Structure formats: structure tokens, C-alpha cells
Amino acid sequence: MTTGYYSHPDCLLHEMGPHHPECSERLEAMEDQLILARIDGFLRRMEAPLATEEDLLLVHSRSHVDYVREHAPQSGYYAIDADTTMNSATWRAALRSAGGAVAAVDAVMRGDLDNAFCAARPPGHHAEPDRAMGFCFFNNVAIAAHHAVERHGLQRVVVIDFDVHHGNGTEAAFRDDPNVLMCSFFQHPFYPYSGADAPAQNMINLPMPAYTTGLQVREAIDMLWLPRLHAFQPELLVISAGFDAHREDDLGQMGLVEADYAWITGQLMDIAKRYAQGRIVSCLEGGYNLSALARSVVAHLRVLADI
């Protein structure tokens, strides 16, 4: 297997103030763990390019793109909300995050890579078409999936979201879209307090209470995700890979461990191999306990790279 690993130094420069959990140390911890686990040499390093405005407009309104661009400060910070702040590097970092996801889709569709992981920040799945929120500015996964449909002509794309928080922005981008099936689980009730009421027919939402274990998550995926995935027969899988449902992560209260992320990835690999020529693009979302995040990413990558 050839697994791409997309990142860029610009993604280290975005920061939202002292002690913010969504910090550059997340990427640094992942890099350290790749070396400790001795898997860094099995990955093909790729530089995340800058997304174009046309890429962003696949999902976001022009007014939203203009708002983020125009409010990027030359120095200091600009607060979009209580959790989501820009510094002078945020604009370029956000373009790298979205651009890496688009480039990964292109590389996987060309056959240059079997699959890819985008180790970029800021994350994206809370960003709605007209609003930045929840540490997110542009919805990287939604942009990647729309790119696959509109520019590569795919008719069946699956978006998987296993972050502890509901991907409200991604759901808003794809509600009732016949070309996209979205499968997610998330802690509920919990930020952003959405996803549990009247999901669209193309949404398989699994709201779960705090302290749900990995075994319970596996059972729900086996019963509720996998039949729909087999019926849908996706041509590409795009993953919002959040690792904050780990039992050591204080931003959530779920009970997953590395073995659960490996199992989930394995199930998705089986679907991809059967229907999508193995094509998967995975993008980092949450995960704020640095050790748990790094170990979980390694578990995810071991399965993607078949090592």
C-alpha cells in the first residue's frame, strides 16, 4: 500500500492563544510518535498546497470566504467566537488544510496513492457553509468530497466522521445530497448539540451517551453503518478522523482506545477495497490529549498503510 501523508509547516504557525487545546503541539506529537513507532519511513510525505478560492466555494459562500480573509489579522488575534480565533498565520494554514484534502483526492483518484492521511490543522468539520466555529474555518472534508463529485465525476462518495463531536458543518454541506452518504457517531448531548434530531435520509447519525465504550461503538457500526455502506457501494471514502473520543481525552467523555480506531479503519478499508479500489482520504479533526492522539493516529495509519 502507498499511503500519502500530507502536511505543511504553515499548519504549525496557526494558533489561537495560550493554552488553547487545538495547538501546533498536536502535529508535533504525531510526528514524534511516527518516529517512535518506526512507521514514518512507510509513508510518502506530501506537501499540502494552498486551496484555491474555487476550492473553497465548492462548499462555502463567497461572503464567508471573504469574511475569513478580510478578518485575518496582521498581528495579534481576531476572535470569531469564544473558541475560534485567528492569528496572522491562520488564513494560510486554513488554505493548506483544505488544499491538502483536495490534493489527496486528486492523487488517490490518479492512482498515485492508494490512500492518504492529511496531518493538517486547523480542522474543519464544524465549519458550515456560511460560518466558522468550533476551531474550524473551512470544511476540509466537505470540500474534498465535493471536489470528488464535481471535478472527478464520482456519483457515490461516503463521508465518515468518528470525532467525539457531531460534524454539523459537514451535515449542513451534504443534507439530502444523493451523491454523498455520511456516517457518524458522536457523544450526545454535547457540543455542538446537533445531529440527533431528524437527520436526512443520507445521514447515518449515531448519537451516543457519555462513557460509551469502544465495544458499544463497534457493535453500532456493525449493525447500522456497514449495511448502508455495502448498499451504497461508494467510489471513494473521505474520513473526518477525530481522535477525541479516546478515553484519555478530557474534551470528551467516551471510552475508545487505539485498538478501536484500528478496528474502525479496518472496516472502512474493507469497504474501500470492495467497492472503491481502496481509495480513502482521511483528514485530521479533533484529538487533544497529545499522547492519546499520537498513538491513535499511528494505529489509524498502520491499517491504512497495511504495516
Side-chain angles (χ1 to χ4, degrees), residues 152-187:
H152 288 280
L154 298 190
Q155 297 180 329
R156 298 182 308 281
V157 175
V158 158
V159 175
I160 300 290
D161 190 325
F162 53 71
D163 194 276
V164 79
H165 304 95
H166 175 236
N168 59 294
T170 312
E171 180 161 328
F174 293 117
R175 178 178 288 273
D176 295 318
D177 187 330
N179 299 118
V180 177
L181 173 68
M182 182 176 176
C183 298
S184 68
F185 69 80
F186 49 90
Q187 184 177 323

Side-chain angles (χ1 to χ4, degrees), residues 208 211-221:
M208 296 184 165
Y211 311 112
T212 297
T213 67
L215 178 59
Q216 291 169 311
V217 169
R218 295 189 196 199
E219 290 174 344
I221 288 172

Side-chain angles (χ1 to χ4, degrees), residues 74-95:
Q74 295 299 309
S75 62
Y77 301 100
Y78 176 79
I80 290 179
D81 61 30
D83 298 316
T84 312
T85 301
M86 303 179 72
N87 75 342
S88 60
T90 299
W91 172 253
R92 285 182 66 85
L95 293 183

